[in-house]
Amino acid sequence: MAATARLTRNLLDRIAGGVCGGIGAHLAISAWWVRLAFIVLTVALPNLGFLLYALIWLNLPAQTLSDLSDTDKARRPARAETTLLLGAGVIGVGAIALADTLGFLNGVKGDLLTPALLFLIGLTLLIRQLRRAA
């Protein structure tokens, strides 16, 4: 998808409000990189992550149907992989909350959540890149 002339909330590449899809389309990168950045920000600084997303959502205009190309209009707006990823994300957040409540994420020298998440994200990206190269 080519970069659009103006930044808008994406109608088709959206999970919640279309903010990440719109930013990704505007920057001509995958919206999943933008989503990952928001996830990392929200895990590291929850109040800032949610507030920033909400402010962008409120200030970005929604994409109109006239902004879409004919191929975009023919595209199905909801994909099964989006629903699966959203469900997996909710399960992951629930598992993290449960582990934190039970005290599994508290080490002798402090919180283990942020380093563990960064390690898992990095490992996932590395494995994904190695599979592409093969």
Side-chain angles (χ1 to χ4, degrees), residues 42-128:
T42 304
V43 167
L45 303 165
N47 293 337
L48 179 63
F50 287 119
L51 180 65
L52 183 63
Y53 189 91
L55 286 174
I56 294 172
W57 179 72
L58 289 171
N59 288 306
L60 268 186
Q63 188 178 35
T64 63
L65 290 177
S66 62
D67 293 336
L68 298 175
S69 67
D70 291 335
T71 56
D72 286 338
K73 289 177 185 174
R75 214 173 86 189
R76 198 175 74 157
R79 297 185 308 214
E81 65 189 25
T82 302
T83 306
L84 287 173
L85 286 171
L86 185 59
V90 170
I91 290 170
V93 169
I96 290 170
L98 178 63
D100 189 41
T101 301
L102 295 175
F104 293 135
L105 298 177
N106 295 325
V108 177
K109 295 186 178 183
D111 183 32
L112 298 175
L113 177 61
T114 304
L117 284 178
L118 290 175
F119 173 77
L120 288 175
I121 290 169
L123 185 62
T124 303
L125 291 173
L126 178 65
I127 291 171
R128 187 173 177 189

